[in-house]
């Protein structure tokens, strides 16, 4: 008797998570460049071919698709919210839904992506993909074409604010990122006002 689809998917998810967990541990202990796929496979007690089945490239062990929980939250955001407000709500929901272990793994992956030169080419492609997906989602929410310049502009502004924060955070990952992200998106939603040094923020 074949396994139920749900059981197969859970086993696949468990194997995938184990491979990535061991990869991140080895990257942390040995460095990204010094760690081989063969070492990762041995640590996870799987064959190298199994690693490649779940992660086609070594870079993919870091550049994991984190979009599904965020996208679900974005699609569920109230229709009356503007694009920045909807993304703000969805980002906080996605972050709040993470377990402490998932949050720690996410932090480690982001640090690697932002600080390891070998990952930069793949990171840039990942950013392009994220921009495209977010643009399409925001266009659908607004009932607009994905190629609309206004949709392009608001998508770029949102991603730009997030990445500017992410680069600062990579220098000091001890900072609490969720609250800072919320404040950054609130600032964008307010039109990016800049108060004078002799004035308190309004």
């Amino acid at each position: 008797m074949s396994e139920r689809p749900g059981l197969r998917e859970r086993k696949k998810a468990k194997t995938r998570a184990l491979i990535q967990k061991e990869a991140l541990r080895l990257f942390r202990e040995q460095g990204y460049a010094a760690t081989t796929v063969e070492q990762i496979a041995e640590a996870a007690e799987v064959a190298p071919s199994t690693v490649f089945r779940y992660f086609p490239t070594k870079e993919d062990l870091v550049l994991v698709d984190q979009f599904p929980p965020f996208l679900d939250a974005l699609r569920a955001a109230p229709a009356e919210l503007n694009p920045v407000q909807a993304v703000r709500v969805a980002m906080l929901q996605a972050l709040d839904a993470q377990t402490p272990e998932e949050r720690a793994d996410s932090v480690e992956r982001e640090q690697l992506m932002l600080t390891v030169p070998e990952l930069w080419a793949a990171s840039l492609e990942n950013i392009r993909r994220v921009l495209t997906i977010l643009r399409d989602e925001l266009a659908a929410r607004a009932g607009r074409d994905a190629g609309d310049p206004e949709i392009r502009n608001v998508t770029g502004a949102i991603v730009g604010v997030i990445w500017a924060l992410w680069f600062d955070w990579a220098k000091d990952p001890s900072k609490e990122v969720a609250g800072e992200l919320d404040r950054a998106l609130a600032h964008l939603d307010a039109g990016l006002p800049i108060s004078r040094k002799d004035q308190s923020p309004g």
Side-chain angles (χ1 to χ4, degrees):
M1 181 180 295
S2 62
E3 294 177 306
R4 298 189 304 274
L7 179 59
R8 287 198 301 272
E9 291 307 313
R10 287 196 297 273
K11 284 186 173 181
K12 288 179 181 179
K14 187 175 180 179
T15 299
R16 180 187 179 91
L18 176 62
I19 291 170
Q20 188 175 58
K21 180 179 179 180
E22 292 300 327
L24 291 174
R25 179 182 65 80
L26 289 171
F27 294 158
R28 182 169 58 250
E29 294 175 357
Q30 303 178 170
Y32 177 82
T35 301
T36 66
V37 171
E38 287 73 20
Q39 289 172 329
I40 294 168
E42 182 177 0
E45 298 184 345
V46 298
S49 60
T50 301
V51 175
F52 284 120
R53 185 161 67 248
Y54 287 94
F55 302 94
T57 70
K58 184 179 173 182
E59 291 86 353
D60 289 331
L61 286 157
V62 177
L63 302 176
V64 173
D65 181 11
Q66 295 295 308
F67 247 39
F70 166 76
L71 287 179
D72 289 342
L74 180 60
R75 290 163 182 163
E80 64 269 19
L81 297 182
N82 69 38
V84 179
Q85 292 166 347
V87 169
R88 184 183 175 192
V89 166
M91 289 289 287
L92 288 179
Q93 287 184 2
L95 289 171
D96 288 344
Q98 288 182 325
T99 66
E101 185 176 8
E102 288 171 338
R103 179 72 63 85
D105 285 349
S106 179
V107 166
E108 193 162 12
R109 286 194 300 269
E110 296 289 352
Q111 279 187 277
L112 286 167
M113 188 172 70
L114 295 174
T115 59
V116 175
E118 295 93 329
L119 289 170
W120 257 111
S123 297
L124 292 173
E125 172 57 26
N126 193 52
I127 293 170
R128 185 201 64 77
R129 185 179 61 82
V130 167
L131 272 166
T132 299
I133 294 173
L134 182 57
R135 180 202 65 196
D136 292 347
E137 290 295 326
L138 295 180
R141 281 182 59 86
R144 305 281 283 273
D145 186 88
D148 189 306
E150 292 185 357
I151 296 295
R152 176 201 62 203
N153 294 344
V154 74
T155 303
I158 291 169
V159 173
V161 165
I162 293 172
W163 275 96
L165 172 61
W166 244 241
F167 280 118
D168 280 349
W169 166 80
K171 300 173 186 175
D172 183 9
S174 65
K175 292 181 178 179
E176 197 281 312
V177 72
E180 188 64 28
L181 176 61
D182 187 51
R183 288 187 289 274
L185 290 174
H187 185 217
L188 175 61
D189 186 39
L192 301 176
I194 300 178
S195 58
R196 291 174 48 176
K197 288 186 177 181
D198 58 350
Q199 294 177 334
S200 59

